[in-house]
Amino acid sequence: MTNRSTFRIYEDKVRQNLERIADVASTADVTIILALKAFAYWPAFPIFAEYLTGATASSLNEAKLIKNHFGKPPHVYAPVYRPHEFAEIAEMSGHLTFNTLTELERHRETWERLGTNVGLRVNPEYSPVETDLYNPADPHGRLGETLPNLPAKPPKGLKGIHVHTLCESTAENTATLIERVKAQFGHYLEQVEWLNLGGGHLMTKDGYDTDLLIKSLQDFRQRYPHLEVILEPGSAHLWGTGTLESNVLDIVDNYGYRTLMLDVSFTCHMPDTLEMPYRPDIRGASKEAKPEFPYAYRLGGMSCLAGDYLAEYYFPQPVRPGDTILFEDMAHYTTVKTTMFNGVPHPDICIIDAHGEVTHRRSFTYEDYEGRMG
Ligand SMILES: Cc1ncc(COP(=O)(O)O)c(C=O)c1O
């Protein structure tokens, strides 16, 4: 009898990250909020709300989740707003960012009437991200206005500028981004009230140069003292805070290629392992062949998708059905992205407190699968 596959979020680790983030925010005198696109397991929001002044949404659903469970007016940026939803979003938003000047004008009557604090996303055409799927700064891309599109003066009523071009990036990258924004959009910065520097600031990763981040932000604040500076990382809050436990159900052996058949799926539960792609750490296993890790296995997901597997990992002893495989660092961009493709069962999600007690658990049933379709 195996345990159910489970995403575990460790409260003490989340608090460690939040303390570090709150320290950066107060020392640099900036606002740092949680991007829901990375993590939307709302039963954990009260922990975040102890440290953060808010959260950011990219859709009406995320905005409502923040309003209902974070208890703060959401910051909102969406690549496009559905006309019939716009007034509802604008009414609940603390800050609302448009992706284009045309969207800003399209909805002007509504946001002016509601008194919404609005911004514009711009594309500074700088990003250290090499994977196209995660690079928002493509000059021909769809995320934000490039410099040549902007009129010499900000449109009437514009209160803020939003950029987002980092992903799991360093403090050096943030410093470069800030310089780039100053060089390209300095004339706008003089005339608005806030600048949102987006996400991707991985300040909770070991080795991250927090001092440099703080210094860059302080220098910027000194240059533009009238501006509120906002950072909206997702991953940084959840970095290293959770695991996904799975069970080995069977082993397939074809021509000596052995695949562990797990009760989880890469495409359904850890899609970035296929999309980025990246190879997650597995507790007690090695990603490279080593003398102490002589047993090689591919890891197979339980969907029918041919590519739902990871290339070989190496283990110190033979693996058997009934053994556990523990994926590290599975709190961010997992539970928000999971699907029930193929009817694949969804792992439980739970929060574990500092004493090892489960304080909240969500299990999924056939009714969850059926309920999505009718
Ligand atoms: C507009 C925006 N803000 C914030 C984030 C959060 O980024 P991260 O989780 O890499 O910190 C993203 C991620 O894609 C984003 O698109």
Side-chain angles (χ1 to χ4, degrees):
M1 174 73 181
T2 54
N3 292 323
R4 302 157 71 95
S5 58
T6 305
F7 285 107
R8 290 197 177 81
I9 316 295
Y10 291 92
E11 181 178 337
D12 54 347
K13 296 201 160 97
V14 173
R15 285 187 186 277
Q16 273 169 25
N17 284 353
L18 287 166
E19 270 159 28
R20 206 150 152 190
I21 289 168
D23 188 50
V24 172
S26 68
T27 314
D29 192 19
V30 298
T31 302
I32 306 185
I33 56 180
L34 169 70
L36 249 63
K37 52 179 75 66
F39 185 77
Y41 187 58
W42 57 264
F45 283 4
I47 304 170
F48 289 81
E50 282 181 40
Y51 301 82
L52 305 178
T53 55
T56 185
S58 295
S59 60
L60 177 58
N61 284 336
E62 286 187 352
K64 281 164 108 168
L65 208 63
I66 293 170
K67 184 175 167 227
N68 294 339
H69 296 286
F70 216 96
K72 313 266 163 89
H75 290 235
V76 183
Y77 155 75
V80 73
Y81 293 101
R82 300 206 293 176
H84 63 283
E85 291 178 353
F86 182 76
E88 191 180 354
I89 297 188
E91 191 150 31
M92 74 175 88
S93 298
H95 291 58
L96 181 144
T97 299
F98 291 102
N99 190 50
T100 59
L101 290 160
T102 43
E103 278 266 287
L104 179 137
E105 295 306 335
R106 178 173 296 124
H107 297 291
R108 177 177 285 281
E109 187 278 322
T110 309
W111 61 259
E112 281 190 342
R113 176 169 45 81
L114 295 170
T116 313
N117 185 327
V118 299
L120 177 70
R121 178 163 175 170
V122 294
N123 177 358
E125 301 176 50
Y126 156 76
S127 175
V129 181
E130 282 165 7
T131 308
D132 285 347
L133 185 65
Y134 289 103
N135 179 358
D138 174 1
H140 307 136
R142 71 188 211 292
L143 299 172
E145 298 280 14
T146 49
L147 182 59
N149 291 351
L150 298 188
K153 282 185 20 196
K156 185 168 148 276
L158 188 76
K159 296 273 173 52
I161 291 293
H162 184 295
V163 292
H164 167 74
T165 67
L166 306 181
C167 178
E168 297 187 7
S169 301
T170 63
E172 289 78 5
N173 297 144
T174 302
T176 307
L177 174 64
I178 289 174
E179 288 313 310
R180 182 81 181 193
V181 171
K182 275 161 61 184
Q184 286 204 324
F185 304 105
H187 57 307
Y188 268 52
L189 295 179
E190 302 287 359
Q191 300 179 63
V192 294
E193 295 173 6
W194 51 267
L195 169 68
N196 186 324
L197 287 167
H201 317 272
L202 200 49
M203 60 191 90
T204 50
K205 186 180 178 181
D206 284 348
Y208 185 96
D209 190 345
T210 316
D211 291 342
L212 176 61
L213 176 70
I214 291 171
K215 166 120 188 17
S216 310
L217 293 169
Q218 285 173 332
D219 289 351
F220 182 81
R221 296 268 300 113
Q222 224 168 0
R223 168 69 186 79
Y224 299 96
H226 67 286
L227 282 183
E228 181 193 8
V229 177
I230 302 155
L231 277 65
E232 50 174 35
S235 301
H237 292 97
L238 283 313
W239 195 256
T241 62
T243 57
L244 173 56
E245 182 178 307
S246 67
N247 299 287
V248 179
L249 302 180
D250 191 17
I251 300 178
V252 178
D253 186 338
N254 277 316
Y255 295 105
Y257 283 79
R258 285 174 299 179
T259 304
L260 305 179
M261 298 300 291
L262 306 177
D263 61 351
V264 292
S265 156
F266 299 97
T267 189
C268 298
H269 308 140
M270 301 167 266
D272 280 338
T273 61
L274 304 181
E275 290 175 8
M276 188 75 176
Y278 83 102
R279 284 168 64 70
D281 288 337
I282 291 175
R283 198 167 294 175
S286 165
K287 294 181 206 174
E288 291 96 39
K290 291 181 189 165
E292 325 83 271
F293 292 84
Y295 299 96
Y297 299 91
R298 289 182 176 179
L299 301 181
M302 62 184 308
S303 81
C304 300
L305 180 74
D308 190 5
Y309 78 93
L310 298 185
E312 279 72 8
Y313 280 73
Y314 301 86
F315 293 79
Q317 70 278 317
V319 181
R320 300 203 164 79
D323 286 353
T324 295
I325 300 291
L326 194 76
F327 295 92
E328 302 279 11
D329 207 11
M330 283 294 159
H332 52 98
Y333 294 104
T334 48
T335 52
V336 281
K337 284 187 152 192
T338 51
T339 68
M340 296 184 100
F341 167 61
N342 257 193
V344 166
H346 196 297
D348 287 6
I349 311 176
C350 66
I351 307 174
I352 314 279
D353 73 9
H355 310 289
E357 301 294 326
V358 174
T359 56
H360 190 275
R361 179 184 287 273
R362 169 74 158 102
S363 299
F364 297 81
T365 61
Y366 166 73
E367 283 68 35
D368 289 301
Y369 179 63
E370 184 188 43
R372 298 177 72 245
M373 307 286 173

